[in-house]
Amino acid sequence: MELRLLRYFLVLAEERHFRRAAQRLSISQPPLSLAIRQLEESLGTKLFQRNSRNVELTVAGRALQSEATFLLRRVEEVRDFVRAVDDEKGGLLRVGFGGSTLYRGLPAIIRSFRKLHPGIELRLQELSTAEQIVALKRDEIDFGFINGLETPDGLDGFRFCREPLLACLPSGHPYATKRSVQLEKLAAEEFILFGRSASPAYFNSILEACQSSGFSPTVIHEVRHWVSVISAVAHGLGVALVPRAMTSAHIAGVVLLPLKGGNVFSETHCVWKADSDRYDAQKSFATLVQGHVAMNEDASGNAVRK
């Protein structure tokens, strides 16, 4: 399958019109039509439904659009990597992360890595846990920092952080002046949760914690970022359970309280694709992360609060 045909296909898939697509590609319409026909013949399926005014993607066409986008982006990354190695710049390292990892020491790790490897381009990409797992398996990123109690199948890694979840309450809440709060005292509250699709581990751990305290939480909002969770609480939209690292976010209008007698923990793992051939930059990054873990965990494996 020629990459040229995939590029023509993606432009037509965006424009949904042969003339506009041909103009974008700086070619005439007949070569574009021929290219699409060749691509359909090579795949043995129709990619577009044509009419007198425009074209629409078939089910197969929509599937190819997603895969072709990934493939061409990967080709560009490979090209950049090879050029960097040829120029002795050292290559490229791609790291996925969830927003809360910024409060767990990731910036310091990045600074240390760049000081040790100034010629290596390091790209950060904020992704949910679910998105990182997919990106790792598709070789779109080299490392991920995902939430959960274990490393998913097909990935290798180690625990990066373990810390308790705290109750996040509006500053005007009746319990806001307490030193701690029992989770069951929040049974009548409306909860804001980190979205199930973005991080099933967080969602399920909070549900299980509430159920262990004798109630099922009333969930009114699901959001994709911890800062959004806390901001929603600050605006009086509900209460939440958040990782202790989020105390460093310093968002006004909320208080974060320990859960009295509670053993509700959040875990983050540093992971990479299993059985992948890791080059020196990847090994160096993993070593830096492990060093951070060693310096920031107590004897029981919990993150030390500083």
Side-chain angles (χ1 to χ4, degrees):
M1 187 184 303
E2 294 183 45
L3 295 179
R4 175 182 61 88
L5 299 183
L6 290 180
R7 293 190 179 95
Y8 285 9
F9 163 78
L10 286 176
V11 172
L12 181 58
E14 292 176 6
E15 293 293 342
R16 307 293 175 91
H17 193 280
F18 272 93
R19 179 176 55 78
R20 291 197 300 269
Q23 289 175 340
R24 270 185 58 183
L25 292 165
S26 299
I27 61 175
S28 61
Q29 189 169 323
L32 174 59
S33 299
L34 176 60
I36 298 302
R37 188 160 59 250
Q38 289 174 336
L39 183 59
E40 289 178 328
E41 289 173 356
S42 69
L43 294 172
T45 185
K46 288 290 184 183
L47 301 173
F48 295 96
Q49 295 288 349
R50 300 163 174 80
N51 59 44
S52 58
R53 301 186 62 182
N54 54 22
V55 293
E56 294 294 334
L57 286 164
T58 63
V59 173
R62 288 195 295 273
L64 179 61
Q65 185 179 29
S66 174
E67 294 301 317
T69 300
F70 161 72
L71 179 60
L72 292 179
R73 183 169 63 246
R74 187 72 182 111
V75 167
E76 289 300 319
E77 290 175 349
V78 170
R79 181 181 291 117
D80 291 344
F81 173 74
V82 172
R83 287 173 176 169
V85 171
D86 184 58
D87 292 339
E88 298 183 350
K89 294 178 181 177
L92 169 69
L93 190 71
R94 305 159 300 170
V95 178
F97 71 99
S100 60
T101 315
L102 292 174
Y103 302 102
R104 292 176 172 136
L106 181 60
I109 294 169
I110 298 303
R111 287 193 295 270
S112 296
F113 181 85
R114 285 177 169 159
K115 189 176 294 184
L116 287 171
H117 304 280
I120 295 176
E121 180 182 357
L122 192 151
R123 294 180 188 171
L124 293 176
Q125 186 173 1
E126 184 175 5
L127 300 167
S128 70
T129 289
E131 289 168 339
Q132 287 183 70
I133 292 171
V134 172
L136 284 162
K137 292 181 177 180
R138 290 169 62 115
D139 290 318
E140 294 180 305
I141 58 176
D142 301 301
F143 284 93
F145 289 86
I146 65 172
N147 303 313
L149 299 179
E150 58 186 17
T151 301
D153 292 341
L155 302 179
D156 284 334
F158 53 86
R159 190 171 69 191
F160 174 65
C161 180
R162 183 176 188 263
E163 60 184 349
L165 294 177
L166 306 181
C168 179
L169 310 176
S171 55
H173 193 279
Y175 292 120
T177 57
K178 305 292 184 181
R179 295 177 63 88
S180 62
V181 64
Q182 291 177 306
L183 184 53
E184 52 265 34
K185 297 292 187 181
L186 304 178
E189 303 284 350
E190 295 180 326
F191 276 74
I192 301 163
L193 263 63
F194 201 98
R196 186 199 300 266
S197 61
S199 182
Y202 267 134
F203 189 93
N204 292 333
S205 65
I206 292 172
L207 285 187
E208 291 168 4
C210 293
Q211 290 165 355
S212 296
S213 295
F215 69 98
S216 293
T218 300
V219 181
I220 57 169
H221 301 297
E222 291 184 33
V223 298
R224 290 177 56 86
H225 302 282
W226 282 118
V227 170
S228 299
V229 172
I230 298 175
S231 296
V233 173
H235 284 88
L237 300 182
V239 302
L241 299 183
V242 305
R244 188 178 63 188
M246 297 309 298
T247 56
S248 300
H250 301 299
I251 296 176
V254 300
V255 293
L256 301 180
L257 300 178
L259 295 173
K260 186 183 297 183
N263 291 308
V264 188
F265 290 91
S266 159
E267 288 194 7
T268 301
H269 288 249
C270 176
V271 294
W272 57 88
K273 188 176 180 181
D275 302 323
S276 61
D277 294 327
R278 294 196 295 158
Y279 55 93
D280 290 346
Q282 291 174 308
K283 294 175 183 177
S284 176
F285 185 82
T287 299
L288 284 172
V289 177
Q290 289 172 321
H292 173 86
V293 172
M295 289 190 298
N296 290 277
E297 281 195 347
D298 60 22
S300 62
N302 297 322
V304 177
R305 188 173 183 179
K306 296 184 177 181

